Amino acid sequence: MTAPFSRMGTANSYETALRNLSARQNSLVTLQGQMSANKSVLRGSDDPTAAAAAERATTRLSRIDSEQRALAAQRNTIQNAESTLGSVNSAIQDFRDLVVQAGSGVYNATDRASIAQQLTSLRDQILAYANEKDTNGQPLFGGLGSGVAPFVDGSGNVSYDAVAGQNASAGNAISNTIDGKATFMNVPTGNGVFTVDLAKDATGKVTNTGTASTDAGKVTDPSALTGNGYSISFALDAAGKTTYTVTNTTTGTAALTNQPYVAGNAIAFDGLSLTVKGNPAVGDTINVGTSTTSNLFKTLDDAISTIGKAGANVGAIGQAVTNALVQLDAGLTRTSASRGYAGELLNRADRISDVQDARTTQVTSDLSVAEGSDQDSQIKRISDFQNQQTGYSAALQSYAQIQKLSLFNFIGG
C-alpha cells in the first residue's frame, strides 16, 4: 500500500505562519496592556464573570466611601455640639458662682443689682450657645427638625420652636443633631418631688419680713406623700415663743398645729421634711408645692429676678440662692447628660469608621482578585509576557527560514 501523502502549497505555508505570528503579536499586545493597567480584566469580554464581580466590588467601595463622607460630616456636627455643651456647662458654673456670691452678707442691694446684670449676660450667652449652628448652618440642638433658631426668646419666656426628639443612629451613621428639648427644656423644679419657696406678691417680690429661709427639702417616706400643696405659717404663742402651723392647702386641713419652732430643726409631715433657718416674723409663710417641669432659661431668669428683687431682705436672699442653686444643679445635670450622649455618639462614629475601614480592605481585596490586580497576578502576567515574547521571536526566525525554502530559489541554480 502506498503511504498517504499530503502536499501544502507555499502560499498556505506563508499564510499559516503569518496567522501564527499575528496571534502571538496580539497576545503580546494584550499582555502589555494588562501589565500597564495592572489588571487582567480590561473589558467585560475578557472575563464576564470576573468583570461582574469587579463591578459589584467597585459599587460597594463607592457606597462605603459615600457613607464615610456622610459619617465624617455627622461626626463634625456632634463634635461641635459636644464642645458647645462644654461651653454651656462652663457658663452655668460661672452663673452658679455668681449666685453664691450674691448670697454673701458683705454685698448690699447695689452689689446684687450689679451681679444680676452679669447673670443676665451669662443667660444670653447660654441662649446663644443653645442656638449654635454647624458649618452647614443647621442648628446643633434642633432635634428632629428646626427653623433658623430652635430656641425663641419671647419677652423673657424661652420656647422650643423645633421638633423634639433624637434621631436614631443607623448601622453606618450617627445622629447629626442633639435633642434640644431634652437638653434645655426638661428641668424639674425644686428637688424633683416638691418645691419650697417664701410667700410672694403678684410681682414676685417676697412678702415675708423675717430672716427665715429653708433648704430644698427631701422625701422621708415616699408612701406618705400626698402630692398636695402646703403652707407653713409662723406665729407667737402666749409665752412669746415662735410656733408654726402646717396647712394642707389642697384639702384645707391642718397637718401640724402650733408646733414650737427651733431654727435648724427639720419640719416633717406627710412623708417630706425641710429645714428652716433664721428667725421668721409673725405672719411669714413658706409654701410647699408639687415639682413640675421647667426649663434652664426660666431657672436662670427666676434667679436673676429673685436676686434683683431681694433687696436687703436676708430671708429672701437666702431662699433665692438656695432655690437657684438647686435648679442650676438640675439643669447642669441635663446638659451634662446630653454632653455625655454626644461623647458616646462620637465613640460610636469611631467604631463605625473602623468597621468601614476593615470592610474597605476586604472589598478592595475582592476587587483585586476579580480584576487580577494583585501582586501574584502581575508576576504571572510578566512571566507570560516573557514567554510570549520568546515564542514570538522564535516564530519570526522560523518564518524567515521558511521563506528561503521556495522552489524558485533553486531553479536555475
Side-chain angles (χ1 to χ4, degrees):
M1 179 180 290
T2 305
F5 177 78
S6 61
R7 292 182 296 177
M8 179 178 291
T10 300
N12 288 339
S13 297
Y14 288 166
E15 183 181 353
T16 300
L18 286 172
R19 188 164 53 249
N20 290 335
L21 283 172
S22 178
R24 289 183 177 276
Q25 189 176 37
N26 288 337
S27 296
L28 281 173
V29 171
T30 298
L31 285 170
Q32 186 177 33
Q34 291 175 345
M35 286 191 300
S36 298
N38 190 28
K39 57 183 181 180
S40 300
V41 180
L42 300 178
R43 296 172 297 275
S45 59
D46 294 340
D47 187 339
T49 301
E55 182 66 24
R56 289 193 298 270
T58 301
T59 300
R60 289 198 299 270
L61 284 175
S62 177
R63 184 170 61 250
I64 292 172
D65 182 63
S66 297
E67 291 171 349
Q68 287 286 66
R69 289 198 301 271
L71 181 64
Q74 293 159 358
R75 180 192 285 111
N76 289 337
T77 298
I78 297 302
Q79 282 178 337
N80 288 339
E82 192 274 338
S83 176
T84 300
L85 285 171
S87 299
V88 168
N89 288 350
S90 296
I92 293 175
Q93 190 60 55
D94 291 342
F95 193 101
R96 193 182 191 282
D97 292 341
L98 286 173
V99 169
V100 173
Q101 289 182 29
S104 173
V106 301
Y107 289 102
N108 56 33
T110 302
D111 296 329
R112 293 190 183 91
S114 176
I115 290 177
Q117 291 180 346
Q118 297 178 59
L119 294 176
T120 300
S121 177
L122 284 171
R123 179 262 192 199
D124 293 342
Q125 185 177 3
I126 293 172
L127 179 61
Y129 286 142
N131 282 324
E132 193 72 36
K133 299 177 182 178
D134 63 12
T135 54
N136 294 318
Q138 297 301 311
L140 298 177
F141 305 103
L144 299 177
S146 170
V148 177
F151 296 92
V152 179
D153 189 3
S155 301
N157 182 24
V158 177
S159 60
Y160 188 62
D161 189 21
V163 180
Q166 185 68 57
N167 286 320
S169 297
N172 300 322
I174 62 173
S175 174
N176 59 353
T177 59
I178 298 295
D179 185 3
K181 185 173 182 179
T183 304
F184 297 97
M185 306 300 286
N186 288 333
V187 180
T189 59
N191 56 24
V193 178
F194 61 90
T195 62
V196 183
D197 205 355
L198 305 184
K200 297 179 181 178
D201 60 18
T203 65
K205 184 177 181 180
V206 172
T207 56
N208 288 359
T209 58
T211 62
S213 63
T214 178
D215 63 2
K218 62 182 179 180
V219 174
T220 57
D221 184 2
S223 63
L225 294 174
T226 65
N228 295 336
Y230 298 88
S231 67
I232 305 173
S233 58
F234 297 90
L236 296 178
D237 61 13
K241 301 292 185 180
T242 302
T243 62
Y244 64 88
T245 295
V246 179
T247 303
N248 186 323
T249 56
T250 302
T251 63
T253 59
L256 294 173
T257 305
N258 297 327
Q259 299 296 308
Y261 167 73
V262 179
N265 283 3
I267 298 177
F269 53 93
D270 291 351
L272 58 86
S273 172
L274 54 91
T275 301
V276 180
K277 60 182 179 179
N279 299 313
V282 174
D284 283 357
T285 302
I286 296 174
N287 294 321
V288 179
T290 303
S291 177
T292 59
T293 299
S294 182
N295 63 74
L296 178 61
F297 305 104
K298 188 174 188 309
T299 295
L300 303 177
D301 290 336
D302 287 347
I304 295 169
S305 175
T306 306
I307 289 174
K309 294 177 180 178
N313 189 322
V314 176
I317 295 169
Q319 196 66 48
V321 170
T322 297
N323 290 347
L325 294 181
V326 171
Q327 291 292 103
L328 287 171
D329 289 344
L332 189 59
T333 298
R334 293 289 182 177
T335 56
S336 295
S338 290
R339 189 183 186 190
Y341 177 72
E344 173 53 31
L345 286 178
L346 293 176
N347 290 336
R348 189 179 304 175
D350 291 338
R351 292 192 294 269
I352 292 173
S353 183
D354 291 341
V355 171
Q356 293 286 58
D357 287 342
R359 189 174 298 167
T360 297
T361 300
Q362 180 60 50
V363 176
T364 300
S365 176
D366 294 342
L367 178 62
S368 297
V369 172
E371 292 182 333
S373 57
D374 55 296
Q375 185 176 6
D376 292 340
S377 297
Q378 181 73 337
I379 292 174
K380 184 177 183 302
R381 284 191 291 270
I382 293 173
S383 176
D384 290 344
F385 182 82
Q386 291 174 342
N387 291 336
Q388 288 284 355
Q389 193 175 36
T390 300
Y392 183 61
S393 297
L396 286 174
Q397 292 175 2
S398 64
Y399 178 72
Q401 294 297 323
I402 290 174
Q403 277 189 319
K404 297 178 182 179
L405 299 179
S406 172
L407 177 64
F408 296 102
N409 291 334
F410 295 95
I411 294 178

Short mmCIF file of all heavy atoms in Angstrom, two decimals, residues 289-343:
data_model
loop_
_atom_site.label_atom_id
_atom_site.label_comp_id
_atom_site.label_asym_id
_atom_site.label_seq_id
_atom_site.Cartn_x
_atom_site.Cartn_y
_atom_site.Cartn_z
N GLY A 289 -44.98 73.21 97.26
CA GLY A 289 -45.80 72.80 96.11
C GLY A 289 -45.24 71.55 95.44
O GLY A 289 -44.18 71.05 95.81
N THR A 290 -45.96 71.07 94.45
CA THR A 290 -45.54 69.88 93.71
C THR A 290 -44.54 70.26 92.63
O THR A 290 -44.72 71.26 91.92
CB THR A 290 -46.76 69.20 93.07
OG1 THR A 290 -47.71 68.87 94.09
CG2 THR A 290 -46.36 67.93 92.34
N SER A 291 -43.50 69.45 92.50
CA SER A 291 -42.50 69.71 91.47
C SER A 291 -43.10 69.56 90.08
O SER A 291 -43.90 68.65 89.82
CB SER A 291 -41.33 68.73 91.63
OG SER A 291 -40.38 68.92 90.59
N THR A 292 -42.74 70.44 89.18
CA THR A 292 -43.18 70.38 87.78
C THR A 292 -41.95 70.42 86.88
O THR A 292 -40.81 70.36 87.35
CB THR A 292 -44.11 71.57 87.46
OG1 THR A 292 -43.40 72.80 87.70
CG2 THR A 292 -45.37 71.52 88.31
N THR A 293 -42.19 70.51 85.60
CA THR A 293 -41.08 70.60 84.65
C THR A 293 -40.92 72.04 84.20
O THR A 293 -41.87 72.67 83.73
CB THR A 293 -41.33 69.70 83.44
OG1 THR A 293 -41.44 68.35 83.87
CG2 THR A 293 -40.18 69.81 82.45
N SER A 294 -39.72 72.54 84.32
CA SER A 294 -39.40 73.89 83.87
C SER A 294 -38.33 73.78 82.80
O SER A 294 -38.14 72.73 82.19
CB SER A 294 -38.92 74.73 85.06
OG SER A 294 -38.66 76.06 84.67
N ASN A 295 -37.62 74.86 82.55
CA ASN A 295 -36.51 74.82 81.60
C ASN A 295 -35.34 75.61 82.16
O ASN A 295 -35.50 76.41 83.09
CB ASN A 295 -36.93 75.33 80.22
CG ASN A 295 -37.36 76.79 80.24
OD1 ASN A 295 -36.54 77.69 80.35
ND2 ASN A 295 -38.68 77.03 80.14
N LEU A 296 -34.20 75.38 81.59
CA LEU A 296 -32.99 76.01 82.12
C LEU A 296 -33.08 77.52 82.07
O LEU A 296 -32.64 78.21 82.99
CB LEU A 296 -31.78 75.52 81.31
CG LEU A 296 -30.43 76.13 81.70
CD1 LEU A 296 -30.07 75.80 83.14
CD2 LEU A 296 -29.33 75.64 80.75
N PHE A 297 -33.68 78.07 81.03
CA PHE A 297 -33.72 79.52 80.87
C PHE A 297 -34.64 80.17 81.90
O PHE A 297 -34.36 81.26 82.39
CB PHE A 297 -34.13 79.87 79.44
CG PHE A 297 -33.25 79.23 78.41
CD1 PHE A 297 -33.69 78.13 77.69
CD2 PHE A 297 -31.96 79.69 78.19
CE1 PHE A 297 -32.87 77.52 76.76
CE2 PHE A 297 -31.12 79.08 77.27
CZ PHE A 297 -31.59 78.00 76.55
N LYS A 298 -35.74 79.50 82.22
CA LYS A 298 -36.61 80.03 83.28
C LYS A 298 -35.89 79.97 84.62
O LYS A 298 -36.04 80.86 85.47
CB LYS A 298 -37.92 79.24 83.35
CG LYS A 298 -38.94 79.87 84.30
CD LYS A 298 -40.27 79.17 84.26
CE LYS A 298 -41.31 79.93 85.06
NZ LYS A 298 -40.90 80.29 86.43
N THR A 299 -35.10 78.91 84.81
CA THR A 299 -34.31 78.83 86.04
C THR A 299 -33.36 80.02 86.15
O THR A 299 -33.24 80.65 87.21
CB THR A 299 -33.50 77.52 86.05
OG1 THR A 299 -34.40 76.41 86.11
CG2 THR A 299 -32.55 77.46 87.23
N LEU A 300 -32.71 80.33 85.04
CA LEU A 300 -31.79 81.47 85.03
C LEU A 300 -32.55 82.77 85.25
O LEU A 300 -32.13 83.64 86.04
CB LEU A 300 -31.03 81.52 83.71
CG LEU A 300 -30.21 80.27 83.32
CD1 LEU A 300 -29.59 80.45 81.94
CD2 LEU A 300 -29.14 79.99 84.36
N ASP A 301 -33.68 82.92 84.55
CA ASP A 301 -34.47 84.14 84.68
C ASP A 301 -35.01 84.32 86.10
O ASP A 301 -35.01 85.43 86.65
CB ASP A 301 -35.63 84.13 83.68
CG ASP A 301 -35.17 84.28 82.24
OD1 ASP A 301 -34.06 84.83 82.04
OD2 ASP A 301 -35.90 83.85 81.33
N ASP A 302 -35.48 83.22 86.71
CA ASP A 302 -36.01 83.30 88.08
C ASP A 302 -34.91 83.71 89.06
O ASP A 302 -35.15 84.51 89.97
CB ASP A 302 -36.60 81.96 88.50
CG ASP A 302 -37.93 81.67 87.80
OD1 ASP A 302 -38.49 82.60 87.19
OD2 ASP A 302 -38.39 80.51 87.84
N ALA A 303 -33.73 83.15 88.86
CA ALA A 303 -32.62 83.50 89.75
C ALA A 303 -32.27 84.98 89.62
O ALA A 303 -32.07 85.68 90.63
CB ALA A 303 -31.40 82.64 89.43
N ILE A 304 -32.22 85.46 88.38
CA ILE A 304 -31.90 86.87 88.15
C ILE A 304 -32.95 87.78 88.77
O ILE A 304 -32.65 88.76 89.46
CB ILE A 304 -31.77 87.14 86.64
CG1 ILE A 304 -30.58 86.38 86.07
CG2 ILE A 304 -31.61 88.64 86.38
CD1 ILE A 304 -30.53 86.37 84.55
N SER A 305 -34.22 87.42 88.53
CA SER A 305 -35.33 88.24 89.04
C SER A 305 -35.36 88.26 90.56
O SER A 305 -35.48 89.33 91.18
CB SER A 305 -36.65 87.72 88.49
OG SER A 305 -37.74 88.41 89.04
N THR A 306 -35.24 87.06 91.16
CA THR A 306 -35.35 86.98 92.62
C THR A 306 -34.20 87.69 93.31
O THR A 306 -34.40 88.40 94.31
CB THR A 306 -35.40 85.51 93.06
OG1 THR A 306 -36.45 84.84 92.35
CG2 THR A 306 -35.67 85.39 94.55
N ILE A 307 -33.00 87.50 92.80
CA ILE A 307 -31.84 88.15 93.41
C ILE A 307 -31.94 89.66 93.25
O ILE A 307 -31.63 90.44 94.16
CB ILE A 307 -30.54 87.62 92.78
CG1 ILE A 307 -30.30 86.17 93.23
CG2 ILE A 307 -29.35 88.50 93.15
CD1 ILE A 307 -29.14 85.49 92.55
N GLY A 308 -32.42 90.09 92.07
CA GLY A 308 -32.55 91.52 91.84
C GLY A 308 -33.61 92.17 92.72
O GLY A 308 -33.49 93.34 93.08
N LYS A 309 -34.67 91.40 93.10
CA LYS A 309 -35.76 91.97 93.89
C LYS A 309 -35.59 91.73 95.39
O LYS A 309 -36.40 92.21 96.18
CB LYS A 309 -37.09 91.35 93.44
CG LYS A 309 -37.50 91.72 92.02
CD LYS A 309 -38.79 91.02 91.63
CE LYS A 309 -39.21 91.38 90.21
NZ LYS A 309 -40.45 90.67 89.81
N ALA A 310 -34.57 90.96 95.77
CA ALA A 310 -34.42 90.62 97.19
C ALA A 310 -34.10 91.83 98.04
O ALA A 310 -34.50 91.91 99.21
CB ALA A 310 -33.32 89.57 97.35
N GLY A 311 -33.40 92.79 97.45
CA GLY A 311 -33.02 93.98 98.22
C GLY A 311 -32.18 93.61 99.42
O GLY A 311 -31.20 92.88 99.33
N ALA A 312 -32.60 94.08 100.62
CA ALA A 312 -31.86 93.79 101.85
C ALA A 312 -32.54 92.71 102.68
O ALA A 312 -32.14 92.45 103.82
CB ALA A 312 -31.71 95.06 102.67
N ASN A 313 -33.58 92.06 102.13
CA ASN A 313 -34.31 91.02 102.85
C ASN A 313 -33.44 89.78 102.93
O ASN A 313 -33.26 89.06 101.93
CB ASN A 313 -35.63 90.73 102.13
CG ASN A 313 -36.53 89.81 102.94
OD1 ASN A 313 -36.08 88.88 103.60
ND2 ASN A 313 -37.83 90.08 102.89
N VAL A 314 -32.92 89.50 104.12
CA VAL A 314 -31.99 88.38 104.31
C VAL A 314 -32.65 87.05 103.97
O VAL A 314 -32.06 86.18 103.32
CB VAL A 314 -31.45 88.37 105.75
CG1 VAL A 314 -30.57 87.15 105.98
CG2 VAL A 314 -30.69 89.65 106.04
N GLY A 315 -33.88 86.88 104.42
CA GLY A 315 -34.58 85.63 104.14
C GLY A 315 -34.80 85.43 102.65
O GLY A 315 -34.63 84.32 102.13
N ALA A 316 -35.21 86.50 101.97
CA ALA A 316 -35.44 86.42 100.53
C ALA A 316 -34.16 86.09 99.78
O ALA A 316 -34.16 85.30 98.83
CB ALA A 316 -36.04 87.72 100.02
N ILE A 317 -33.05 86.69 100.22
CA ILE A 317 -31.76 86.43 99.59
C ILE A 317 -31.37 84.97 99.78
O ILE A 317 -30.97 84.28 98.83
CB ILE A 317 -30.68 87.36 100.17
CG1 ILE A 317 -30.99 88.82 99.83
CG2 ILE A 317 -29.31 86.97 99.65
CD1 ILE A 317 -30.15 89.82 100.58
N GLY A 318 -31.47 84.49 101.01
CA GLY A 318 -31.09 83.11 101.28
C GLY A 318 -31.93 82.11 100.50
O GLY A 318 -31.41 81.13 99.96
N GLN A 319 -33.25 82.36 100.44
CA GLN A 319 -34.13 81.45 99.70
C GLN A 319 -33.86 81.51 98.21
O GLN A 319 -33.88 80.49 97.52
CB GLN A 319 -35.59 81.79 99.99
CG GLN A 319 -36.57 80.69 99.58
CD GLN A 319 -36.38 79.44 100.42
OE1 GLN A 319 -36.29 79.51 101.65
NE2 GLN A 319 -36.29 78.30 99.76
N ALA A 320 -33.61 82.70 97.70
CA ALA A 320 -33.31 82.85 96.27
C ALA A 320 -32.06 82.08 95.90
O ALA A 320 -32.02 81.39 94.87
CB ALA A 320 -33.14 84.33 95.93
N VAL A 321 -31.03 82.16 96.72
CA VAL A 321 -29.78 81.45 96.45
C VAL A 321 -29.99 79.95 96.52
O VAL A 321 -29.55 79.19 95.64
CB VAL A 321 -28.68 81.90 97.44
CG1 VAL A 321 -27.46 80.99 97.33
CG2 VAL A 321 -28.30 83.35 97.18
N THR A 322 -30.70 79.48 97.55
CA THR A 322 -30.95 78.04 97.71
C THR A 322 -31.71 77.48 96.52
O THR A 322 -31.31 76.46 95.93
CB THR A 322 -31.74 77.78 99.00
OG1 THR A 322 -30.97 78.18 100.13
CG2 THR A 322 -32.09 76.30 99.13
N ASN A 323 -32.81 78.13 96.17
CA ASN A 323 -33.63 77.63 95.06
C ASN A 323 -32.87 77.68 93.74
O ASN A 323 -32.97 76.77 92.91
CB ASN A 323 -34.93 78.43 94.95
CG ASN A 323 -35.88 78.14 96.10
OD1 ASN A 323 -35.69 77.18 96.85
ND2 ASN A 323 -36.91 78.97 96.25
N ALA A 324 -32.12 78.77 93.54
CA ALA A 324 -31.37 78.90 92.29
C ALA A 324 -30.31 77.81 92.17
O ALA A 324 -30.14 77.22 91.09
CB ALA A 324 -30.72 80.29 92.22
N LEU A 325 -29.59 77.52 93.25
CA LEU A 325 -28.54 76.50 93.19
C LEU A 325 -29.12 75.12 92.91
O LEU A 325 -28.56 74.34 92.14
CB LEU A 325 -27.75 76.50 94.51
CG LEU A 325 -26.93 77.75 94.80
CD1 LEU A 325 -26.19 77.61 96.12
CD2 LEU A 325 -25.94 78.04 93.68
N VAL A 326 -30.26 74.82 93.55
CA VAL A 326 -30.90 73.51 93.31
C VAL A 326 -31.31 73.39 91.85
O VAL A 326 -31.08 72.36 91.20
CB VAL A 326 -32.12 73.33 94.24
CG1 VAL A 326 -32.91 72.08 93.85
CG2 VAL A 326 -31.68 73.22 95.69
N GLN A 327 -31.92 74.43 91.31
CA GLN A 327 -32.37 74.41 89.93
C GLN A 327 -31.20 74.38 88.95
O GLN A 327 -31.24 73.67 87.93
CB GLN A 327 -33.23 75.63 89.64
CG GLN A 327 -34.57 75.63 90.34
CD GLN A 327 -35.49 74.53 89.80
OE1 GLN A 327 -35.66 73.50 90.44
NE2 GLN A 327 -36.05 74.74 88.64
N LEU A 328 -30.15 75.14 89.24
CA LEU A 328 -28.98 75.15 88.37
C LEU A 328 -28.31 73.78 88.33
O LEU A 328 -27.87 73.32 87.27
CB LEU A 328 -27.98 76.21 88.85
CG LEU A 328 -28.37 77.67 88.58
CD1 LEU A 328 -27.40 78.61 89.29
CD2 LEU A 328 -28.38 77.96 87.08
N ASP A 329 -28.24 73.14 89.49
CA ASP A 329 -27.65 71.80 89.52
C ASP A 329 -28.48 70.81 88.70
O ASP A 329 -27.94 69.93 88.02
CB ASP A 329 -27.53 71.31 90.97
CG ASP A 329 -26.46 72.06 91.75
OD1 ASP A 329 -25.61 72.71 91.10
OD2 ASP A 329 -26.47 72.02 93.00
N ALA A 330 -29.82 70.96 88.77
CA ALA A 330 -30.68 70.10 87.96
C ALA A 330 -30.47 70.36 86.47
O ALA A 330 -30.41 69.43 85.66
CB ALA A 330 -32.15 70.33 88.34
N GLY A 331 -30.35 71.64 86.11
CA GLY A 331 -30.10 71.98 84.71
C GLY A 331 -28.74 71.49 84.24
O GLY A 331 -28.60 71.00 83.12
N LEU A 332 -27.75 71.63 85.13
CA LEU A 332 -26.40 71.17 84.78
C LEU A 332 -26.37 69.66 84.59
O LEU A 332 -25.64 69.14 83.73
CB LEU A 332 -25.43 71.59 85.88
CG LEU A 332 -23.93 71.39 85.61
CD1 LEU A 332 -23.51 72.17 84.38
CD2 LEU A 332 -23.11 71.83 86.82
N THR A 333 -27.19 68.95 85.35
CA THR A 333 -27.28 67.50 85.17
C THR A 333 -27.79 67.16 83.79
O THR A 333 -27.31 66.23 83.13
CB THR A 333 -28.21 66.90 86.25
OG1 THR A 333 -27.66 67.14 87.54
CG2 THR A 333 -28.38 65.40 86.04
N ARG A 334 -28.80 67.93 83.32
CA ARG A 334 -29.36 67.68 82.00
C ARG A 334 -28.34 67.95 80.89
O ARG A 334 -28.16 67.15 79.97
CB ARG A 334 -30.60 68.55 81.78
CG ARG A 334 -31.78 68.20 82.67
CD ARG A 334 -32.40 66.89 82.27
NE ARG A 334 -33.56 66.57 83.09
CZ ARG A 334 -34.33 65.50 82.91
NH1 ARG A 334 -34.04 64.67 81.93
NH2 ARG A 334 -35.36 65.27 83.69
N THR A 335 -27.69 69.09 80.94
CA THR A 335 -26.73 69.43 79.89
C THR A 335 -25.53 68.49 79.92
O THR A 335 -24.99 68.14 78.88
CB THR A 335 -26.27 70.89 80.03
OG1 THR A 335 -25.72 71.11 81.34
CG2 THR A 335 -27.44 71.85 79.81
N SER A 336 -25.13 68.07 81.12
CA SER A 336 -24.01 67.13 81.22
C SER A 336 -24.40 65.77 80.64
O SER A 336 -23.59 65.10 80.01
CB SER A 336 -23.59 66.99 82.68
OG SER A 336 -23.07 68.20 83.19
N ALA A 337 -25.65 65.37 80.86
CA ALA A 337 -26.12 64.10 80.30
C ALA A 337 -26.11 64.15 78.77
O ALA A 337 -25.70 63.19 78.10
CB ALA A 337 -27.52 63.78 80.81
N SER A 338 -26.54 65.28 78.22
CA SER A 338 -26.52 65.43 76.76
C SER A 338 -25.10 65.46 76.22
O SER A 338 -24.81 64.92 75.15
CB SER A 338 -27.27 66.71 76.34
OG SER A 338 -28.65 66.58 76.56
N ARG A 339 -24.21 66.07 76.97
CA ARG A 339 -22.80 66.08 76.54
C ARG A 339 -22.23 64.67 76.57
O ARG A 339 -21.48 64.27 75.67
CB ARG A 339 -21.99 67.00 77.45
CG ARG A 339 -20.57 67.22 76.94
CD ARG A 339 -19.74 68.08 77.87
NE ARG A 339 -18.45 68.37 77.28
CZ ARG A 339 -17.43 68.94 77.93
NH1 ARG A 339 -17.59 69.29 79.21
NH2 ARG A 339 -16.29 69.16 77.32
N GLY A 340 -22.60 63.90 77.59
CA GLY A 340 -22.16 62.51 77.65
C GLY A 340 -22.71 61.71 76.48
O GLY A 340 -22.02 60.86 75.91
N TYR A 341 -23.97 61.98 76.10
CA TYR A 341 -24.56 61.30 74.96
C TYR A 341 -23.82 61.67 73.68
O TYR A 341 -23.58 60.80 72.81
CB TYR A 341 -26.04 61.66 74.85
CG TYR A 341 -26.74 61.05 73.65
CD1 TYR A 341 -27.02 59.69 73.62
CD2 TYR A 341 -27.09 61.83 72.56
CE1 TYR A 341 -27.65 59.11 72.53
CE2 TYR A 341 -27.72 61.27 71.46
CZ TYR A 341 -28.00 59.92 71.46
OH TYR A 341 -28.61 59.36 70.36
N ALA A 342 -23.46 62.94 73.54
CA ALA A 342 -22.69 63.36 72.36
C ALA A 342 -21.35 62.64 72.32
O ALA A 342 -20.89 62.22 71.25
CB ALA A 342 -22.48 64.88 72.38
N GLY A 343 -20.71 62.48 73.47
CA GLY A 343 -19.46 61.75 73.53
C GLY A 343 -19.62 60.30 73.10
O GLY A 343 -18.77 59.74 72.39
#
